[in-house]
Amino acid sequence: MKQVSTISDIRSGVAELRAAGKTIAFVPTMGALHEGHLSLMRLAKQKADEVVVSIYVNPTQFGPNEDFDSYPRQMEKDLKACEEEGVSVVFTPNDKIMYGSGERYFGISIDELNEDMDGGSRPSFFEGIALVVNKLFNIIEPDVAVFGQKDIQQFQILSRMVEEFNHDIELVAAPIARANDGLALSSRNAYLSDKERKIAPGLYRALQYVEKQIRDGVDEPKLLLKHQQDELEAKGFKNDYLNVFSMDNMQPVQKLEPGTTYILAGAAYLGKTRLIDNIILDL
Amino acid sequence: MKQVSTISDIRSGVAELRAAGKTIAFVPTMGALHEGHLSLMRLAKQKADEVVVSIYVNPTQFGPNEDFDSYPRQMEKDLKACEEEGVSVVFTPNDKIMYGSGERYFGISIDELNEDMDGGSRPSFFEGIALVVNKLFNIIEPDVAVFGQKDIQQFQILSRMVEEFNHDIELVAAPIARANDGLALSSRNAYLSDKERKIAPGLYRALQYVEKQIRDGVDEPKLLLKHQQDELEAKGFKNDYLNVFSMDNMQPVQKLEPGTTYILAGAAYLGKTRLIDNIILDL
């Protein structure tokens, strides 16, 4: 496995694989790799000959009061994990390489798709993600890129970017990796105290409960969702959102129609830790 | 020469050239090709093995009261001209192929660089150009792309986009092609009446006059520029701007410093026709 940090080195690394006739699947990460990331790499391996991973904590997707500084960083451990998964090249740029040191004049703007869900709670979050992923796509030019379904709004927004910007890349969503008690794996789970960790699976359980009610026939889930939010608050969560969203435009939906795909998604804080989770509802 | 209109056909066309080990220079145009465009193609031919041209009148770079509908279109004549220049593939998409028929959620925003000059007079002009060129770059993935120095602000903005978005493409500026009397060639010159056509070279003569004064030592050209604007108005022009701009951030400059590169640029209307021209000043 190669580890490279400059753009010219990653381009040569990819060019070598291309020259050998290999297809390339790309897994962009912010490091602090857990079993969820490893499942993305395994799926990537099924989709192409070689896997390229990036490890970069992207400053433009963090708000001023968010956890950029404290975001977990463990490069050596991450590199070892990539090696064990059979990754070919790991790209580990720094901020200067990714964004230069001078003025930044160009931005990517997103309408509607980022107004609600995590975009509603984290202004400019998805524009920062689009900015860095657009760069990474142009640097690496993979055939396939793999993202986690856990960040479903990110996946939908990036799929739309690929379409509108004409990136010649197939995006693949990997299923949510969960702990035995159902908690969606996340690098931010490392922030949880033992007590919070015990409460944390409640978010997924709330989603599962709502899913069951909807599958049993509830088509206007507003009160049901309100009730589950109250339950979560009673357990010690501070709710951000818990709602059903359109798969197309990421807007909240009041009335569910059969034959349609929705996202049932929630975000809630335990202490300072923000947890998200979702279930895709094919009705 | 191949003419193709769909994204999959242009991608196959380019892939065939790539498979034969050829490098590719790309010349994006809005058609209505004149000697200026042909000079771009000839320069492109010097920079790479094969030349790919696009002909597409991009709606997103026209304002609501601009000349999108009346912009000259002459596809057959243009294709013949490309063939005569030894172009390998011409890409002639329609609006549905370039922009789809549904909602558009993604935009490219530009700060500062588009505030003045043509960006000041034509709001969202450069964001429309960036949008379509970013798409074309991702569709064609050339080694080199050739643009005219006549659209110097476009060239500078796209160079910056290539840097910030990490397109792996070298941008090349071709010198301004001029008629015998000095008028910069432009598809919009076709709009000029015989009388206007006779007056039109006055814009370049004004720039040349200012250039000479600056090279002779004028370092605060404000009054000089004002005087030339009055002269242009007296000749029948309606001035938009005539000024010296920073090559770095495209902002107007009051005091010129030796050892610095500036753009001396003007835009003026003759009737409804907007003419632009510029001279690069390496002081």
Side-chain angles (χ1 to χ4, degrees):
Chain A
M1 187 184 79
K2 261 190 202 165
Q3 183 205 347
V4 297
S5 294
T6 69
I7 288 171
S8 65
D9 283 348
I10 181 67
R11 284 198 167 127
S12 327
V14 169
E16 265 176 48
L17 301 175
R18 291 282 180 207
K22 304 295 188 183
T23 57
I24 290 163
F26 173 47
V27 183
T29 81
M30 301 212 299
L33 303 179
H34 51 66
E35 191 59 30
H37 296 104
L38 305 187
S39 74
L40 304 189
M41 295 176 200
R42 283 168 211 149
L43 183 57
K45 194 82 189 160
Q46 290 171 32
K47 297 283 172 183
D49 302 324
E50 308 278 346
V51 177
V52 174
V53 169
S54 64
I55 298 177
Y56 177 59
V57 184
N58 173 38
T60 64
Q61 74 191 65
F62 287 82
N65 299 315
E66 291 183 357
D67 58 346
F68 175 70
D69 288 331
S70 60
Y71 196 85
R73 287 157 172 94
Q74 47 172 52
M75 185 61 82
E76 264 183 62
K77 206 176 150 203
D78 288 346
L79 291 171
K80 197 160 165 282
C82 291
E83 181 129 44
E84 283 169 11
E85 291 302 327
V87 170
S88 305
V89 190
V90 182
F91 180 44
T92 57
N94 62 26
D95 292 342
K96 183 149 184 245
I97 284 167
M98 286 306 282
Y99 288 106
S101 43
E103 204 69 49
R104 195 160 70 234
Y105 297 109
F106 275 77
I108 294 176
S109 61
I110 307 170
D111 280 340
E112 197 173 317
L113 304 181
N114 61 343
E115 276 167 13
D116 220 289
M117 292 181 73
D118 291 310
S121 310
R122 305 180 68 184
S124 87
F125 174 52
F126 287 111
E127 286 162 345
I129 289 177
L131 199 63
V132 79
V133 172
N134 182 56
K135 287 164 82 67
L136 289 167
F137 281 0
N138 284 339
I139 292 168
I140 292 167
E141 299 184 331
D143 301 285
V144 176
V146 182
F147 295 85
Q149 185 208 309
K150 181 166 151 283
D151 301 301
I152 183 69
Q153 191 176 15
Q154 165 179 279
F155 183 79
Q156 290 297 96
I157 285 177
L158 293 177
S159 297
R160 189 71 202 188
M161 181 178 81
V162 162
E163 187 184 331
E164 292 193 24
F165 282 6
N166 298 98
H167 287 289
D168 194 11
I169 300 171
E170 179 197 352
L171 294 204
V172 175
I176 301 178
R178 300 186 178 281
N180 287 334
D181 58 7
L183 176 66
L185 299 188
S186 164
S187 303
R188 288 193 172 94
N189 292 351
Y191 301 151
L192 297 170
S193 69
D194 287 353
K195 196 183 153 205
E196 290 165 344
R197 177 63 189 79
K198 286 204 184 81
I199 301 168
L203 177 60
Y204 183 48
R205 282 202 285 272
L207 294 175
Q208 285 180 303
Y209 179 81
V210 174
E211 178 190 20
K212 185 171 184 312
Q213 301 298 308
I214 289 173
R215 294 206 184 277
D216 286 351
V218 173
D219 62 355
E220 294 189 47
K222 190 174 171 180
L223 282 175
L224 174 62
L225 290 160
K226 174 73 179 67
H227 183 68
Q228 285 304 308
Q229 285 189 306
D230 294 345
E231 297 258 313
L232 285 170
E233 295 272 346
K235 282 178 186 159
F237 286 91
K238 196 172 158 295
N239 285 301
D240 182 348
Y241 63 79
L242 187 75
N243 215 337
V244 180
F245 299 92
S246 155
M247 193 75 168
D248 291 330
N249 66 5
M250 309 276 119
Q251 298 286 321
V253 176
Q254 302 305 319
K255 172 106 168 93
L256 309 183
E257 310 282 351
T260 311
T261 303
Y262 299 99
I263 303 161
L264 168 61
Y269 289 88
L270 276 176
K272 288 187 171 174
T273 307
R274 189 169 181 278
L275 302 176
I276 62 173
D277 205 341
N278 69 79
I279 291 172
I280 293 177
L281 293 174
D282 272 307
L283 296 190
Chain B
M1 187 183 80
K2 259 189 204 165
Q3 183 204 345
V4 296
S5 294
T6 68
I7 289 171
S8 65
D9 283 349
I10 181 66
R11 282 197 168 127
S12 324
V14 169
E16 266 176 46
L17 301 175
R18 291 283 180 206
K22 305 295 190 184
T23 58
I24 290 162
F26 173 47
V27 183
T29 81
M30 299 212 301
L33 303 179
H34 52 65
E35 190 59 29
H37 295 103
L38 306 186
S39 75
L40 304 190
M41 295 175 199
R42 284 168 212 150
L43 184 57
K45 195 81 190 162
Q46 289 170 33
K47 296 283 172 185
D49 302 325
E50 310 277 346
V51 177
V52 174
V53 169
S54 64
I55 298 178
Y56 178 60
V57 184
N58 172 38
T60 65
Q61 73 191 65
F62 287 81
N65 299 314
E66 291 184 358
D67 58 346
F68 175 70
D69 288 330
S70 59
Y71 195 86
R73 287 159 171 93
Q74 46 173 53
M75 187 61 83
E76 265 184 59
K77 206 176 150 202
D78 287 348
L79 290 172
K80 194 158 167 282
C82 289
E83 181 128 44
E84 282 168 11
E85 291 302 327
V87 169
S88 306
V89 190
V90 182
F91 180 45
T92 56
N94 62 25
D95 292 342
K96 180 146 185 247
I97 285 167
M98 286 306 282
Y99 288 107
S101 44
E103 204 69 50
R104 194 159 71 234
Y105 296 109
F106 275 78
I108 294 176
S109 61
I110 308 172
D111 279 341
E112 197 171 319
L113 304 181
N114 61 343
E115 277 168 12
D116 220 292
M117 292 180 74
D118 291 309
S121 311
R122 306 180 67 185
S124 85
F125 174 52
F126 287 111
E127 286 162 346
I129 290 177
L131 200 62
V132 78
V133 172
N134 182 57
K135 287 164 82 68
L136 290 167
F137 281 1
N138 284 340
I139 292 168
I140 293 167
E141 298 185 330
D143 301 285
V144 177
V146 182
F147 295 85
Q149 186 208 307
K150 180 165 152 286
D151 301 302
I152 183 69
Q153 192 177 14
Q154 166 179 278
F155 184 79
Q156 291 296 98
I157 285 176
L158 292 178
S159 296
R160 189 71 202 190
M161 182 179 80
V162 162
E163 188 185 330
E164 292 193 24
F165 281 7
N166 298 99
H167 286 290
D168 193 11
I169 300 172
E170 181 197 350
L171 294 204
V172 175
I176 300 177
R178 299 184 179 282
N180 287 334
D181 59 6
L183 176 64
L185 299 188
S186 164
S187 304
R188 290 193 171 92
N189 292 350
Y191 301 152
L192 296 170
S193 69
D194 288 352
K195 197 182 152 205
E196 289 166 344
R197 176 63 188 79
K198 286 203 184 82
I199 302 167
L203 177 59
Y204 182 47
R205 282 204 284 273
L207 294 175
Q208 285 179 304
Y209 180 81
V210 174
E211 177 188 23
K212 185 170 183 315
Q213 300 299 308
I214 290 173
R215 294 209 185 275
D216 285 352
V218 173
D219 62 354
E220 294 189 47
K222 189 174 172 180
L223 281 175
L224 174 60
L225 290 160
K226 175 73 180 69
H227 183 68
Q228 285 304 310
Q229 286 189 305
D230 294 344
E231 297 258 313
L232 286 171
E233 296 270 348
K235 282 178 186 160
F237 286 90
K238 196 172 159 294
N239 285 301
D240 183 349
Y241 63 80
L242 186 75
N243 215 336
V244 180
F245 299 91
S246 156
M247 193 76 168
D248 290 331
N249 66 5
M250 309 278 119
Q251 297 287 320
V253 177
Q254 303 303 320
K255 174 107 169 89
L256 309 181
E257 310 282 350
T260 311
T261 302
Y262 299 98
I263 303 161
L264 168 59
Y269 288 88
L270 276 176
K272 288 187 172 176
T273 309
R274 190 168 180 277
L275 303 175
I276 62 171
D277 205 342
N278 70 80
I279 291 172
I280 293 177
L281 293 174
D282 272 308
L283 298 189

